[in-house]
Amino acid sequence: MLDGTEILTSAQMRALESRAMASGTVTGLQLMERAGSAVAGQIRLRWPVPGRVTVLCGPGNNGGDGYVIARLLHEAGWRVRVLGLPAPPGPDAAQMKDRWQRIGPILPLTRAELQQGGGPHLHVDAIFGTGLTRPPTGEIAQLLRHLAGFGGDLVAVDCPSGLCMDSGAMLGQSREDAQYLLRAGLTVAFDSPKPGHLLGLGPECCGRLVIADIGLHDWRVTGADDPPAAPRPLTEAIWPEFDIPDSRRPALSAQKQAQWLSRRGSGRGHKFSHGHALVIARGIGHGGAARLAARAALRIGAGLVTICPTGSALIEHSAPPDALMRKQVNDAEDLAKMLADRRITSVCLGPGCGIDRASDLLPVLLASARAAVLDADALTALAMDDTPFRGLHGNIVLTPHLGEFARLFPDLARRLTETPDSGPAYSKLDAARDAAARSKAVVLLKGPDSVIAAPDGHAAIHSAFDIPWLATAGAGDVLAGIITGLLARGLPALDAASLGTRVHAKAARLFGPGLIADDLPDLIPQVLRDISG
């Protein structure tokens, strides 16, 4: 599994390829040959016995890749059938088309012709790739509707045709009323994952995602004009966290996060050197969510964690863990007195807190300028305020799910639900970035495709479509506690939210199906050992 891999948008990918070709050290034809070779290699790896394959070639460079794939599979002993368009493609794709025509014919790219294939065999979708900006129409749309039923026997080049690679939306279709939804068994993309591979419908449509290096790495990292080294081996992305580069302030990489955890966990520091986190609880009978958050903050390594219910509920929190401190906070005045202690380095407000209580305590918390996680009821309390973002700052993490996001940012949420007529479509990444810029806080927009965005535009995506059992009551409270503990230890908000989301997902993967939220905190030590190596 990869961690901390950079994502490129469609425009960034085109610029990268142009920069590489402008250097004079690699040609478009060479890049096309490498791309086609990578896909053909993955097909041969997964289907080692040559069989029957239909390659569907579109009008652009994606179609050019398809002609390379057809030629190479033919040379490997496959029985290859190619469907394409009569219109001449660009110069590189035209050369690849010509090379294939020396081997075999090109049949019309129509639904009727596709249905003539007969019998079970593999299909390669090389119709539309990363650069698609408008919905497929006419004969191609009919063909894609038919192709949508092929499932595991479909290999997509770059992405399933029709999928916007900047958003994960199917252009011209709403998520609920999709006329067709291609679900590939395998998608092979090049150099870097794109946002659409990980957001929205992307994971559902792409199946197993493989990222193939075609020799662009040096230009992506440095923009150098020198020839890059030989392409690296293929790397597989199995829904990890990916970082989106931003020149202003890169977040901690996964490797640096591991080094940070190791460094902070060693040495001769005392408990306060690892931070003191407060977790605000509610009155009697409502303490479970706060206890989950507090346990998680302890397990992630905060030096002290104090749970703060009302005085009447203190007895409810007397059970283990004994390491957890308890102190009553009845009202805003009590919280202000506690926050006068500068050794308190972070606060978690929201899990099981109650909306009225969160509304009462929020002004004091914000006035203290402490690092904080605002979750659940605290987000609802914010949304009820006439000036919801007053007092927020860059060391606060907001953790809304889509429903809470819609209450806080209704205009952004509406844009997410609109049917995209052209690409790049408005994405969950765009929404999280816009929300962070507006609120001046870090926004963790939760879901199976979680997006973490900072006010300066830097962002990360963590895709967890492979762990559906994480959708369980209390899991979000644990995540809030993990992030609070990391904030207490001094990690900046973007990095705390990013690393916290990573630890949270790894713990869920480690346990597997049957997980309940109570299991997550006790898995954190094993996850930290794995991360720190």
Side-chain angles (χ1 to χ4, degrees), residues 48-121:
V49 178
R52 300 169 61 225
V53 60
T54 296
V55 183
L56 312 173
C57 299
N61 286 342
N62 201 246
D65 298 340
Y67 292 118
V68 176
I69 296 163
R71 171 168 48 83
L72 295 177
L73 290 179
H74 170 79
E75 292 171 358
W78 285 70
R79 288 171 289 167
V80 181
R81 186 166 167 261
V82 174
L83 275 59
L85 296 170
D92 294 329
Q95 286 199 47
M96 296 306 185
K97 181 178 183 180
D98 181 65
R99 292 181 188 181
W100 166 254
Q101 287 181 304
R102 299 173 194 171
I103 297 170
I106 298 175
L107 303 171
L109 184 63
T110 63
R111 176 174 180 169
E113 193 63 54
L114 179 63
Q115 291 174 306
Q116 296 301 313
H121 63 291

Side-chain angles (χ1 to χ4, degrees), residues 472-504:
T472 184
D477 305 318
V478 174
L479 175 59
I482 293 172
I483 298 170
T484 302
L486 292 170
L487 288 172
R489 295 181 61 181
L491 201 58
L494 176 65
D495 298 312
S498 175
L499 178 56
T501 304
R502 181 180 172 217
V503 168
H504 187 247

Side-chain angles (χ1 to χ4, degrees), residues 278-282 306-311 314 327-336 338 357 361:
L278 300 187
V279 178
I280 306 300
R282 194 177 175 183
T306 299
I307 193 167
C308 301
T310 60
L314 273 174
K327 188 165 183 177
Q328 70 182 33
V329 169
N330 290 306
D331 51 29
E333 184 179 354
D334 285 350
L335 181 59
M338 286 202 72
R357 181 166 165 80
L361 300 181

Side-chain angles (χ1 to χ4, degrees), residues 216-228:
L216 297 174
H217 179 259
D218 284 7
W219 286 288
R220 173 162 54 86
V221 173
T222 66
D225 290 330
D226 297 328

Side-chain angles (χ1 to χ4, degrees), residues 21 30 74 126 163 200 209 395 414 433 445 520:
M21 289 184 288
Q30 289 172 321
H74 170 79
L163 187 68
L209 175 65
N395 221 20
R414 280 194 298 271
R433 278 178 160 157
L445 181 48
L520 288 166

